[in-house]
Amino acid sequence: MVVPIGPSDIGTAGQAGFGVGVSLPALPAGYTYLGSTDRNAPNFGRYLNASAQPETWVPACWLRVGSTESPRYAEFGVDAVDVLPLRAYYNLPDADADGYFLHPALDVDKQVQSGFFAGASLTADQLDYVETLYTAGLQVNPLIVFSSGEQGAWYDPSDITTLFQDSAGTTPVTAAGQPVGLMLDKSGRNNHARQATATARPLYQIDSGRPYLALDGVDDFMVTTAFDWGSDQAFVATGVRKLNGAASVIAELSANINFNPGSFYHISAEGGQANYTAASRGSSSSSVNQRASATNGGNPPATNVFTATHSISGDLTAVRVDGVAGPNATGDKGAGNFGNWPLYIGARGGTSLFLKGGIYGAIFRNLNPNATTIAAIEQYLASKSGVTLP
Amino acid sequence: MSLIFTTIIVPAEHAETARTLAAAVSPAGIGMFTTALCTGETLTHYVSTGKIDSAFGAVLSSVEIAMAAALAGDPEYAGTTEQLTALLAAVDVSDEPPFDAFDRLGLTLTNPNEEPL
């Protein structure tokens, strides 16, 4: 569990500013402090919006009530309340395992809500601001990047409750070395990854306390059913381990970018063992000018955080490895959106370019985040992968 | 369910027999033997490797067991005793890591030669 101090923390019980009294690093446009930035000031944590109406900043937080493990239980019994900042847990199951939950006002259909509460809803600008706030810290809950209904997927092998040995999801993964036939998508979009063939299932493994999906480089891969990507942008972030220098698919939208418009791939060791490469295209034929490579991954065996953003209309693929940007690809991608394709993990179309290595986490989103959010996602994946970012 | 690790390599001429057998025995066998292996530059074998049900693993121990398992899983299984006999005589089944088995048999994966883009 990581409990860093940051701008969206709930504060410390018993001290000034606890709960609503949280100082924002900057105000959204049109907002002014009602009081001051002094935690001891009466109106600390309260603001005037653009219509001069008072609002209160409420950070999302984890609550635990009446736990016998609470240090307050002896005094307050079933009324004992414990509070932790949102970043104390990466996901709801982890928090639940320790008895913590999100207050219903902060948890709408498992999508974290927070921000200025004048009523029950938030404006788009406010949600964007909330995202920036959450991602400004050392850790981020990836759920937040799907909070506006963005299409995509989030795979988290460190959350064993999302893994099943069979593709139907009847036999849960319970220990290292077991096959993974189903990996649930935690984004809320239900783009679960499956493998029906027994010998092609990756294994759940743990290295230095870090769980990952181990792929054998021979026949292992997972794939989703086809889904409509719904935009011409794509953000892909992976924590990945490569064990050999063969060009290998980490993820590819569609069975083969060369034959399918509106697709992308992310590959390790293409054009050099240290490389990570991404490419995408719309209606244009595939071309090396659409391909960007970062060369700072290190020769295998190596573990890295590999992220990329794609824009078809912007003719741009931008790659980063361990937080360091590589040269962009600006070749013409044509027009259109990314298509209605399956998403392959660990192989090209299930038939070639098999990845020998591991995946510690992967996030796919049909909207490119801002630079702050990308950095926070990289930090999140680095913590899952054991990578130290510069 | 008891799982065992296995690496199964079949010569290309018996690959279709192996595929239909695996698919008949279990739905989890559908899709096996699609990764090609080469001897030098020539495609000569196909491989499947990973964790499988131990009962499934026993299928390749004899023609009788293979035929019985296939018919139990798919009453319309059309493989012949002759095909299964030839398959079992040629198949290489081991508990070795796949790349060790490739080295032992002088085989290589074909995919390192593929250009991604």
Side-chain angles (χ1 to χ4, degrees), chain A residues 165 177 179 196-199 203 216-219 257-258 265 267 270 286-288 348 352-354 356, chain B residues 1 3 27-32 34-35 47-52 98-99 102 109 111-112 114-117:
Chain A
Q165 297 187 53
T197 304
T199 48
L203 301 182
D216 65 7
V218 176
D219 58 1
I257 187 176
N258 294 296
Y265 75 47
I267 284 184
E270 180 183 11
S286 59
S287 157
V288 294
R348 163 160 287 173
S352 64
L353 300 179
F354 291 98
K356 182 175 175 61
Chain B
M1 181 175 65
L3 295 175
I30 298 172
M32 291 177 65
T34 57
T35 299
V47 61
S48 277
T49 181
K51 294 276 184 80
I52 61 173
F99 288 94
F102 301 163
L109 276 172
N111 62 350
E114 181 176 349
E115 291 291 338
L117 192 67

mmCIF file of all heavy atoms in Angstrom, chain A residues 165 177 179 196-199 203 216-219 257-258 265 267 270 286-288 348 352-354 356, chain B residues 1 3 27-32 34-35 47-52 98-99 102 109 111-112 114-117:
data_model
loop_
_atom_site.group_PDB
_atom_site.id
_atom_site.type_symbol
_atom_site.label_atom_id
_atom_site.label_comp_id
_atom_site.label_asym_id
_atom_site.label_seq_id
_atom_site.Cartn_x
_atom_site.Cartn_y
_atom_site.Cartn_z
ATOM 1 N N GLN A 165 -8.474 -19.620 -15.034
ATOM 2 C CA GLN A 165 -7.686 -20.601 -15.773
ATOM 3 C C GLN A 165 -8.325 -21.009 -17.091
ATOM 4 O O GLN A 165 -7.636 -21.420 -18.020
ATOM 5 C CB GLN A 165 -7.461 -21.843 -14.895
ATOM 6 C CG GLN A 165 -6.661 -21.560 -13.625
ATOM 7 C CD GLN A 165 -6.318 -22.819 -12.865
ATOM 8 O OE1 GLN A 165 -5.759 -23.748 -13.431
ATOM 9 N NE2 GLN A 165 -6.659 -22.859 -11.581
ATOM 10 N N GLY A 177 2.020 -20.091 -11.649
ATOM 11 C CA GLY A 177 2.222 -21.259 -12.488
ATOM 12 C C GLY A 177 0.969 -21.774 -13.148
ATOM 13 O O GLY A 177 1.038 -22.673 -13.980
ATOM 14 N N PRO A 179 -2.351 -21.597 -15.662
ATOM 15 C CA PRO A 179 -2.641 -20.941 -16.937
ATOM 16 C C PRO A 179 -3.722 -19.874 -16.791
ATOM 17 O O PRO A 179 -4.531 -19.924 -15.868
ATOM 18 C CB PRO A 179 -3.127 -22.092 -17.821
ATOM 19 C CG PRO A 179 -3.653 -23.104 -16.860
ATOM 20 C CD PRO A 179 -2.820 -22.983 -15.608
ATOM 21 N N ALA A 196 -8.854 -19.750 -25.542
ATOM 22 C CA ALA A 196 -9.595 -20.996 -25.395
ATOM 23 C C ALA A 196 -8.708 -22.224 -25.531
ATOM 24 O O ALA A 196 -9.015 -23.283 -24.979
ATOM 25 C CB ALA A 196 -10.720 -21.055 -26.427
ATOM 26 N N THR A 197 -7.612 -22.105 -26.261
ATOM 27 C CA THR A 197 -6.723 -23.248 -26.497
ATOM 28 C C THR A 197 -5.796 -23.446 -25.308
ATOM 29 O O THR A 197 -5.058 -22.522 -24.934
ATOM 30 C CB THR A 197 -5.891 -23.019 -27.772
ATOM 31 O OG1 THR A 197 -6.776 -22.780 -28.873
ATOM 32 C CG2 THR A 197 -5.022 -24.232 -28.062
ATOM 33 N N ALA A 198 -5.822 -24.643 -24.729
ATOM 34 C CA ALA A 198 -5.106 -24.877 -23.473
ATOM 35 C C ALA A 198 -3.626 -24.537 -23.571
ATOM 36 O O ALA A 198 -3.069 -23.834 -22.710
ATOM 37 C CB ALA A 198 -5.294 -26.329 -23.040
ATOM 38 N N THR A 199 -2.972 -25.037 -24.617
ATOM 39 C CA THR A 199 -1.522 -24.853 -24.689
ATOM 40 C C THR A 199 -1.124 -23.423 -25.048
ATOM 41 O O THR A 199 0.046 -23.065 -24.905
ATOM 42 C CB THR A 199 -0.923 -25.797 -25.747
ATOM 43 O OG1 THR A 199 -1.702 -25.696 -26.948
ATOM 44 C CG2 THR A 199 -0.926 -27.230 -25.241
ATOM 45 N N LEU A 203 0.859 -18.036 -18.590
ATOM 46 C CA LEU A 203 0.846 -18.457 -17.195
ATOM 47 C C LEU A 203 0.871 -17.246 -16.280
ATOM 48 O O LEU A 203 1.467 -16.221 -16.611
ATOM 49 C CB LEU A 203 2.054 -19.354 -16.895
ATOM 50 C CG LEU A 203 2.201 -20.638 -17.716
ATOM 51 C CD1 LEU A 203 3.426 -21.410 -17.251
ATOM 52 C CD2 LEU A 203 0.955 -21.502 -17.623
ATOM 53 N N ASP A 216 5.168 -17.515 -23.595
ATOM 54 C CA ASP A 216 6.301 -18.395 -23.866
ATOM 55 C C ASP A 216 7.035 -18.116 -25.168
ATOM 56 O O ASP A 216 8.052 -18.741 -25.461
ATOM 57 C CB ASP A 216 5.863 -19.862 -23.814
ATOM 58 C CG ASP A 216 4.864 -20.249 -24.905
ATOM 59 O OD1 ASP A 216 4.599 -19.423 -25.794
ATOM 60 O OD2 ASP A 216 4.348 -21.383 -24.848
ATOM 61 N N GLY A 217 6.532 -17.193 -25.990
ATOM 62 C CA GLY A 217 7.224 -16.888 -27.240
ATOM 63 C C GLY A 217 7.056 -17.945 -28.306
ATOM 64 O O GLY A 217 7.712 -17.875 -29.356
ATOM 65 N N VAL A 218 6.173 -18.903 -28.049
ATOM 66 C CA VAL A 218 5.960 -19.991 -29.017
ATOM 67 C C VAL A 218 4.519 -19.986 -29.536
ATOM 68 O O VAL A 218 4.294 -19.914 -30.745
ATOM 69 C CB VAL A 218 6.281 -21.360 -28.387
ATOM 70 C CG1 VAL A 218 5.960 -22.496 -29.367
ATOM 71 C CG2 VAL A 218 7.734 -21.415 -27.968
ATOM 72 N N ASP A 219 3.559 -20.065 -28.610
ATOM 73 C CA ASP A 219 2.167 -20.113 -29.061
ATOM 74 C C ASP A 219 1.207 -19.399 -28.115
ATOM 75 O O ASP A 219 -0.003 -19.461 -28.321
ATOM 76 C CB ASP A 219 1.711 -21.556 -29.282
ATOM 77 C CG ASP A 219 1.835 -22.426 -28.036
ATOM 78 O OD1 ASP A 219 2.271 -21.902 -26.978
ATOM 79 O OD2 ASP A 219 1.502 -23.613 -28.110
ATOM 80 N N ILE A 257 -1.727 -5.356 -38.926
ATOM 81 C CA ILE A 257 -1.859 -3.958 -39.356
ATOM 82 C C ILE A 257 -1.675 -3.815 -40.864
ATOM 83 O O ILE A 257 -2.250 -2.925 -41.486
ATOM 84 C CB ILE A 257 -0.846 -3.070 -38.599
ATOM 85 C CG1 ILE A 257 -1.081 -1.585 -38.897
ATOM 86 C CG2 ILE A 257 0.571 -3.461 -38.935
ATOM 87 C CD1 ILE A 257 -0.171 -0.652 -38.110
ATOM 88 N N ASN A 258 -0.905 -4.713 -41.459
ATOM 89 C CA ASN A 258 -0.615 -4.578 -42.887
ATOM 90 C C ASN A 258 -1.839 -4.808 -43.768
ATOM 91 O O ASN A 258 -1.871 -4.363 -44.912
ATOM 92 C CB ASN A 258 0.490 -5.561 -43.280
ATOM 93 C CG ASN A 258 1.810 -5.215 -42.626
ATOM 94 O OD1 ASN A 258 2.382 -4.158 -42.900
ATOM 95 N ND2 ASN A 258 2.288 -6.077 -41.748
ATOM 96 N N TYR A 265 -0.108 -1.371 -33.895
ATOM 97 C CA TYR A 265 0.638 -2.415 -33.184
ATOM 98 C C TYR A 265 1.673 -1.785 -32.263
ATOM 99 O O TYR A 265 2.091 -0.633 -32.439
ATOM 100 C CB TYR A 265 1.263 -3.433 -34.135
ATOM 101 C CG TYR A 265 2.504 -3.003 -34.913
ATOM 102 C CD1 TYR A 265 3.584 -2.357 -34.329
ATOM 103 C CD2 TYR A 265 2.621 -3.324 -36.264
ATOM 104 C CE1 TYR A 265 4.713 -2.009 -35.042
ATOM 105 C CE2 TYR A 265 3.749 -2.995 -36.993
ATOM 106 C CZ TYR A 265 4.788 -2.327 -36.371
ATOM 107 O OH TYR A 265 5.910 -1.987 -37.077
ATOM 108 N N ILE A 267 5.309 -3.257 -30.564
ATOM 109 C CA ILE A 267 6.216 -4.377 -30.765
ATOM 110 C C ILE A 267 7.514 -4.138 -30.009
ATOM 111 O O ILE A 267 8.010 -3.011 -29.934
ATOM 112 C CB ILE A 267 6.472 -4.568 -32.284
ATOM 113 C CG1 ILE A 267 5.251 -5.236 -32.917
ATOM 114 C CG2 ILE A 267 7.741 -5.340 -32.568
ATOM 115 C CD1 ILE A 267 5.405 -5.570 -34.382
ATOM 116 N N GLU A 270 11.822 -4.598 -32.556
ATOM 117 C CA GLU A 270 11.766 -4.452 -34.006
ATOM 118 C C GLU A 270 12.860 -3.484 -34.453
ATOM 119 O O GLU A 270 12.919 -2.348 -33.993
ATOM 120 C CB GLU A 270 10.408 -3.913 -34.461
ATOM 121 C CG GLU A 270 10.320 -3.753 -35.980
ATOM 122 C CD GLU A 270 9.002 -3.160 -36.449
ATOM 123 O OE1 GLU A 270 8.225 -2.682 -35.589
ATOM 124 O OE2 GLU A 270 8.756 -3.153 -37.660
ATOM 125 N N SER A 286 -0.122 0.497 -45.021
ATOM 126 C CA SER A 286 0.912 0.535 -43.986
ATOM 127 C C SER A 286 2.241 0.959 -44.599
ATOM 128 O O SER A 286 2.559 0.622 -45.741
ATOM 129 C CB SER A 286 1.040 -0.834 -43.316
ATOM 130 O OG SER A 286 1.360 -1.825 -44.258
ATOM 131 N N SER A 287 2.997 1.706 -43.805
ATOM 132 C CA SER A 287 4.257 2.265 -44.288
ATOM 133 C C SER A 287 5.199 2.457 -43.108
ATOM 134 O O SER A 287 4.759 2.725 -41.983
ATOM 135 C CB SER A 287 3.994 3.615 -44.960
ATOM 136 O OG SER A 287 5.147 4.415 -44.966
ATOM 137 N N VAL A 288 6.486 2.317 -43.369
ATOM 138 C CA VAL A 288 7.463 2.509 -42.293
ATOM 139 C C VAL A 288 7.449 3.946 -41.782
ATOM 140 O O VAL A 288 7.910 4.227 -40.672
ATOM 141 C CB VAL A 288 8.881 2.128 -42.758
ATOM 142 C CG1 VAL A 288 8.975 0.650 -43.047
ATOM 143 C CG2 VAL A 288 9.289 2.941 -43.961
ATOM 144 N N ARG A 348 0.889 -11.763 -33.146
ATOM 145 C CA ARG A 348 0.203 -11.233 -34.334
ATOM 146 C C ARG A 348 -0.857 -12.240 -34.774
ATOM 147 O O ARG A 348 -0.529 -13.354 -35.227
ATOM 148 C CB ARG A 348 1.194 -10.961 -35.451
ATOM 149 C CG ARG A 348 0.507 -10.806 -36.828
ATOM 150 C CD ARG A 348 1.380 -10.087 -37.805
ATOM 151 N NE ARG A 348 1.459 -8.664 -37.474
ATOM 152 C CZ ARG A 348 2.264 -7.799 -38.088
ATOM 153 N NH1 ARG A 348 3.057 -8.217 -39.050
ATOM 154 N NH2 ARG A 348 2.262 -6.532 -37.737
ATOM 155 N N SER A 352 1.864 -15.588 -35.233
ATOM 156 C CA SER A 352 3.291 -15.284 -35.402
ATOM 157 C C SER A 352 3.696 -14.130 -34.482
ATOM 158 O O SER A 352 2.859 -13.549 -33.781
ATOM 159 C CB SER A 352 3.605 -14.916 -36.857
ATOM 160 O OG SER A 352 2.935 -13.720 -37.212
ATOM 161 N N LEU A 353 4.973 -13.792 -34.509
ATOM 162 C CA LEU A 353 5.535 -12.692 -33.704
ATOM 163 C C LEU A 353 5.159 -12.839 -32.234
ATOM 164 O O LEU A 353 4.747 -11.883 -31.579
ATOM 165 C CB LEU A 353 5.087 -11.337 -34.255
ATOM 166 C CG LEU A 353 5.503 -11.021 -35.703
ATOM 167 C CD1 LEU A 353 4.967 -9.644 -36.113
ATOM 168 C CD2 LEU A 353 7.008 -11.070 -35.879
ATOM 169 N N PHE A 354 5.309 -14.056 -31.718
ATOM 170 C CA PHE A 354 4.938 -14.340 -30.327
ATOM 171 C C PHE A 354 5.934 -13.682 -29.366
ATOM 172 O O PHE A 354 7.151 -13.742 -29.577
ATOM 173 C CB PHE A 354 4.914 -15.842 -30.078
ATOM 174 C CG PHE A 354 3.792 -16.546 -30.788
ATOM 175 C CD1 PHE A 354 4.014 -17.182 -32.008
ATOM 176 C CD2 PHE A 354 2.512 -16.568 -30.255
ATOM 177 C CE1 PHE A 354 2.989 -17.835 -32.666
ATOM 178 C CE2 PHE A 354 1.476 -17.226 -30.910
ATOM 179 C CZ PHE A 354 1.705 -17.851 -32.116
ATOM 180 N N LYS A 356 8.040 -13.510 -26.139
ATOM 181 C CA LYS A 356 8.629 -14.298 -25.056
ATOM 182 C C LYS A 356 8.965 -13.315 -23.946
ATOM 183 O O LYS A 356 9.937 -12.555 -24.067
ATOM 184 C CB LYS A 356 9.878 -15.048 -25.517
ATOM 185 C CG LYS A 356 10.516 -15.927 -24.434
ATOM 186 C CD LYS A 356 11.675 -16.729 -25.009
ATOM 187 C CE LYS A 356 12.403 -17.518 -23.916
ATOM 188 N NZ LYS A 356 11.565 -18.488 -23.239
ATOM 189 N N MET B 1 -9.070 -31.247 -11.764
ATOM 190 C CA MET B 1 -8.252 -31.169 -12.976
ATOM 191 C C MET B 1 -6.782 -31.085 -12.591
ATOM 192 O O MET B 1 -6.379 -30.225 -11.811
ATOM 193 C CB MET B 1 -8.649 -29.928 -13.790
ATOM 194 C CG MET B 1 -7.866 -29.764 -15.073
ATOM 195 S SD MET B 1 -8.451 -28.388 -16.088
ATOM 196 C CE MET B 1 -8.068 -26.968 -15.035
ATOM 197 N N LEU B 3 -2.990 -30.538 -13.997
ATOM 198 C CA LEU B 3 -2.321 -29.965 -15.160
ATOM 199 C C LEU B 3 -0.881 -30.438 -15.224
ATOM 200 O O LEU B 3 -0.205 -30.572 -14.201
ATOM 201 C CB LEU B 3 -2.356 -28.433 -15.100
ATOM 202 C CG LEU B 3 -3.729 -27.775 -15.184
ATOM 203 C CD1 LEU B 3 -3.611 -26.273 -14.983
ATOM 204 C CD2 LEU B 3 -4.401 -28.077 -16.511
ATOM 205 N N PRO B 27 -12.625 -29.239 -26.346
ATOM 206 C CA PRO B 27 -12.703 -27.888 -26.926
ATOM 207 C C PRO B 27 -11.426 -27.093 -26.681
ATOM 208 O O PRO B 27 -11.068 -26.228 -27.493
ATOM 209 C CB PRO B 27 -13.894 -27.266 -26.203
ATOM 210 C CG PRO B 27 -14.728 -28.425 -25.772
ATOM 211 C CD PRO B 27 -13.763 -29.537 -25.465
ATOM 212 N N ALA B 28 -10.740 -27.392 -25.580
ATOM 213 C CA ALA B 28 -9.479 -26.690 -25.297
ATOM 214 C C ALA B 28 -8.356 -27.131 -26.214
ATOM 215 O O ALA B 28 -7.267 -26.563 -26.187
ATOM 216 C CB ALA B 28 -9.074 -26.904 -23.845
ATOM 217 N N GLY B 29 -8.617 -28.152 -27.041
ATOM 218 C CA GLY B 29 -7.620 -28.597 -28.007
ATOM 219 C C GLY B 29 -7.764 -27.931 -29.357
ATOM 220 O O GLY B 29 -6.876 -28.062 -30.220
ATOM 221 N N ILE B 30 -8.865 -27.220 -29.541
ATOM 222 C CA ILE B 30 -9.056 -26.502 -30.811
ATOM 223 C C ILE B 30 -8.034 -25.382 -30.910
ATOM 224 O O ILE B 30 -7.883 -24.587 -29.975
ATOM 225 C CB ILE B 30 -10.490 -25.936 -30.897
ATOM 226 C CG1 ILE B 30 -11.510 -27.064 -30.863
ATOM 227 C CG2 ILE B 30 -10.660 -25.089 -32.155
ATOM 228 C CD1 ILE B 30 -12.950 -26.598 -30.750
ATOM 229 N N GLY B 31 -7.330 -25.338 -32.016
ATOM 230 C CA GLY B 31 -6.353 -24.276 -32.208
ATOM 231 C C GLY B 31 -4.924 -24.696 -31.923
ATOM 232 O O GLY B 31 -4.003 -23.871 -32.025
ATOM 233 N N MET B 32 -4.729 -25.972 -31.571
ATOM 234 C CA MET B 32 -3.347 -26.426 -31.333
ATOM 235 C C MET B 32 -2.622 -26.667 -32.655
ATOM 236 O O MET B 32 -3.228 -26.795 -33.706
ATOM 237 C CB MET B 32 -3.358 -27.710 -30.493
ATOM 238 C CG MET B 32 -3.810 -27.493 -29.049
ATOM 239 S SD MET B 32 -3.899 -29.016 -28.072
ATOM 240 C CE MET B 32 -2.174 -29.515 -28.015
ATOM 241 N N THR B 34 -0.513 -24.799 -34.537
ATOM 242 C CA THR B 34 -0.539 -23.774 -35.591
ATOM 243 C C THR B 34 0.775 -23.005 -35.676
ATOM 244 O O THR B 34 0.965 -22.229 -36.612
ATOM 245 C CB THR B 34 -1.680 -22.764 -35.341
ATOM 246 O OG1 THR B 34 -1.513 -22.177 -34.057
ATOM 247 C CG2 THR B 34 -3.038 -23.444 -35.418
ATOM 248 N N THR B 35 1.656 -23.195 -34.707
ATOM 249 C CA THR B 35 2.952 -22.520 -34.756
ATOM 250 C C THR B 35 3.943 -23.379 -35.541
ATOM 251 O O THR B 35 4.240 -24.510 -35.152
ATOM 252 C CB THR B 35 3.496 -22.258 -33.339
ATOM 253 O OG1 THR B 35 2.584 -21.422 -32.639
ATOM 254 C CG2 THR B 35 4.860 -21.578 -33.404
ATOM 255 N N VAL B 47 4.205 -27.002 -33.517
ATOM 256 C CA VAL B 47 4.384 -27.210 -32.087
ATOM 257 C C VAL B 47 3.207 -26.632 -31.297
ATOM 258 O O VAL B 47 2.597 -25.640 -31.697
ATOM 259 C CB VAL B 47 5.698 -26.554 -31.595
ATOM 260 C CG1 VAL B 47 5.688 -25.043 -31.833
ATOM 261 C CG2 VAL B 47 5.956 -26.855 -30.117
ATOM 262 N N SER B 48 2.910 -27.296 -30.186
ATOM 263 C CA SER B 48 2.080 -26.716 -29.128
ATOM 264 C C SER B 48 2.777 -26.988 -27.815
ATOM 265 O O SER B 48 3.299 -28.097 -27.610
ATOM 266 C CB SER B 48 0.683 -27.334 -29.115
ATOM 267 O OG SER B 48 -0.144 -26.722 -30.062
ATOM 268 N N THR B 49 2.779 -26.002 -26.933
ATOM 269 C CA THR B 49 3.460 -26.161 -25.654
ATOM 270 C C THR B 49 2.745 -25.370 -24.582
ATOM 271 O O THR B 49 2.263 -24.262 -24.836
ATOM 272 C CB THR B 49 4.932 -25.717 -25.761
ATOM 273 O OG1 THR B 49 5.573 -25.901 -24.492
ATOM 274 C CG2 THR B 49 5.055 -24.256 -26.173
ATOM 275 N N GLY B 50 2.661 -25.960 -23.411
ATOM 276 C CA GLY B 50 2.011 -25.273 -22.294
ATOM 277 C C GLY B 50 1.403 -26.267 -21.327
ATOM 278 O O GLY B 50 1.718 -27.462 -21.354
ATOM 279 N N LYS B 51 0.539 -25.728 -20.456
ATOM 280 C CA LYS B 51 -0.110 -26.560 -19.443
ATOM 281 C C LYS B 51 -1.381 -27.179 -20.034
ATOM 282 O O LYS B 51 -2.228 -26.464 -20.577
ATOM 283 C CB LYS B 51 -0.472 -25.702 -18.233
ATOM 284 C CG LYS B 51 0.738 -25.139 -17.448
ATOM 285 C CD LYS B 51 1.251 -26.157 -16.461
ATOM 286 C CE LYS B 51 2.386 -25.624 -15.604
ATOM 287 N NZ LYS B 51 1.942 -24.785 -14.494
ATOM 288 N N ILE B 52 -1.491 -28.496 -19.930
ATOM 289 C CA ILE B 52 -2.695 -29.179 -20.391
ATOM 290 C C ILE B 52 -3.183 -30.143 -19.321
ATOM 291 O O ILE B 52 -2.426 -30.524 -18.408
ATOM 292 C CB ILE B 52 -2.454 -29.962 -21.710
ATOM 293 C CG1 ILE B 52 -1.382 -31.044 -21.505
ATOM 294 C CG2 ILE B 52 -2.056 -29.011 -22.826
ATOM 295 C CD1 ILE B 52 -1.224 -31.959 -22.702
ATOM 296 N N PRO B 98 10.092 -25.394 -24.446
ATOM 297 C CA PRO B 98 10.009 -25.537 -25.907
ATOM 298 C C PRO B 98 11.318 -25.265 -26.644
ATOM 299 O O PRO B 98 11.671 -26.006 -27.572
ATOM 300 C CB PRO B 98 8.926 -24.528 -26.292
ATOM 301 C CG PRO B 98 8.799 -23.608 -25.129
ATOM 302 C CD PRO B 98 9.134 -24.421 -23.930
ATOM 303 N N PHE B 99 12.030 -24.241 -26.225
ATOM 304 C CA PHE B 99 13.239 -23.912 -26.980
ATOM 305 C C PHE B 99 14.339 -24.966 -26.768
ATOM 306 O O PHE B 99 15.186 -25.159 -27.635
ATOM 307 C CB PHE B 99 13.722 -22.498 -26.620
ATOM 308 C CG PHE B 99 12.827 -21.419 -27.180
ATOM 309 C CD1 PHE B 99 11.794 -20.888 -26.422
ATOM 310 C CD2 PHE B 99 12.991 -20.952 -28.481
ATOM 311 C CE1 PHE B 99 10.944 -19.913 -26.935
ATOM 312 C CE2 PHE B 99 12.153 -19.983 -29.015
ATOM 313 C CZ PHE B 99 11.122 -19.466 -28.234
ATOM 314 N N PHE B 102 13.355 -27.572 -29.228
ATOM 315 C CA PHE B 102 13.718 -27.153 -30.595
ATOM 316 C C PHE B 102 15.204 -27.423 -30.847
ATOM 317 O O PHE B 102 15.592 -27.938 -31.901
ATOM 318 C CB PHE B 102 13.441 -25.657 -30.811
ATOM 319 C CG PHE B 102 12.013 -25.236 -30.603
ATOM 320 C CD1 PHE B 102 11.687 -23.892 -30.421
ATOM 321 C CD2 PHE B 102 10.979 -26.164 -30.579
ATOM 322 C CE1 PHE B 102 10.386 -23.492 -30.226
ATOM 323 C CE2 PHE B 102 9.664 -25.772 -30.375
ATOM 324 C CZ PHE B 102 9.367 -24.425 -30.196
ATOM 325 N N LEU B 109 11.943 -21.464 -34.706
ATOM 326 C CA LEU B 109 10.687 -20.788 -34.999
ATOM 327 C C LEU B 109 10.820 -20.034 -36.316
ATOM 328 O O LEU B 109 11.875 -19.501 -36.628
ATOM 329 C CB LEU B 109 10.349 -19.792 -33.890
ATOM 330 C CG LEU B 109 9.651 -20.315 -32.644
ATOM 331 C CD1 LEU B 109 9.596 -19.211 -31.605
ATOM 332 C CD2 LEU B 109 8.259 -20.816 -32.958
ATOM 333 N N ASN B 111 8.971 -17.321 -37.008
ATOM 334 C CA ASN B 111 8.553 -15.924 -36.911
ATOM 335 C C ASN B 111 9.678 -14.896 -36.822
ATOM 336 O O ASN B 111 9.441 -13.748 -37.168
ATOM 337 C CB ASN B 111 7.563 -15.716 -35.778
ATOM 338 C CG ASN B 111 8.105 -16.023 -34.426
ATOM 339 O OD1 ASN B 111 9.183 -16.582 -34.319
ATOM 340 N ND2 ASN B 111 7.361 -15.696 -33.385
ATOM 341 N N PRO B 112 10.921 -15.244 -36.370
ATOM 342 C CA PRO B 112 11.955 -14.200 -36.378
ATOM 343 C C PRO B 112 12.227 -13.641 -37.773
ATOM 344 O O PRO B 112 12.798 -12.572 -37.922
ATOM 345 C CB PRO B 112 13.178 -14.922 -35.804
ATOM 346 C CG PRO B 112 12.619 -15.990 -34.960
ATOM 347 C CD PRO B 112 11.394 -16.455 -35.701
ATOM 348 N N GLU B 114 9.901 -12.794 -39.877
ATOM 349 C CA GLU B 114 8.769 -11.997 -40.343
ATOM 350 C C GLU B 114 9.008 -10.529 -40.069
ATOM 351 O O GLU B 114 9.398 -10.129 -38.973
ATOM 352 C CB GLU B 114 7.487 -12.447 -39.643
ATOM 353 C CG GLU B 114 6.256 -11.671 -40.100
ATOM 354 C CD GLU B 114 4.980 -12.202 -39.447
ATOM 355 O OE1 GLU B 114 5.022 -13.263 -38.821
ATOM 356 O OE2 GLU B 114 3.953 -11.518 -39.593
ATOM 357 N N GLU B 115 8.758 -9.687 -41.075
ATOM 358 C CA GLU B 115 8.845 -8.240 -40.907
ATOM 359 C C GLU B 115 7.506 -7.742 -40.377
ATOM 360 O O GLU B 115 6.479 -7.953 -41.021
ATOM 361 C CB GLU B 115 9.172 -7.564 -42.231
ATOM 362 C CG GLU B 115 10.581 -7.839 -42.734
ATOM 363 C CD GLU B 115 11.634 -7.174 -41.872
ATOM 364 O OE1 GLU B 115 11.300 -6.195 -41.181
ATOM 365 O OE2 GLU B 115 12.791 -7.616 -41.876
ATOM 366 N N PRO B 116 7.497 -7.053 -39.234
ATOM 367 C CA PRO B 116 6.207 -6.612 -38.686
ATOM 368 C C PRO B 116 5.458 -5.641 -39.578
ATOM 369 O O PRO B 116 4.243 -5.615 -39.600
ATOM 370 C CB PRO B 116 6.595 -5.955 -37.353
ATOM 371 C CG PRO B 116 7.902 -6.584 -36.998
ATOM 372 C CD PRO B 116 8.598 -6.807 -38.287
ATOM 373 N N LEU B 117 6.212 -4.789 -40.304
ATOM 374 C CA LEU B 117 5.526 -3.761 -41.113
ATOM 375 C C LEU B 117 6.135 -3.742 -42.500
ATOM 376 O O LEU B 117 7.355 -3.800 -42.644
ATOM 377 C CB LEU B 117 5.679 -2.394 -40.446
ATOM 378 C CG LEU B 117 4.802 -1.273 -40.987
ATOM 379 C CD1 LEU B 117 3.329 -1.545 -40.678
ATOM 380 C CD2 LEU B 117 5.207 0.061 -40.368
#
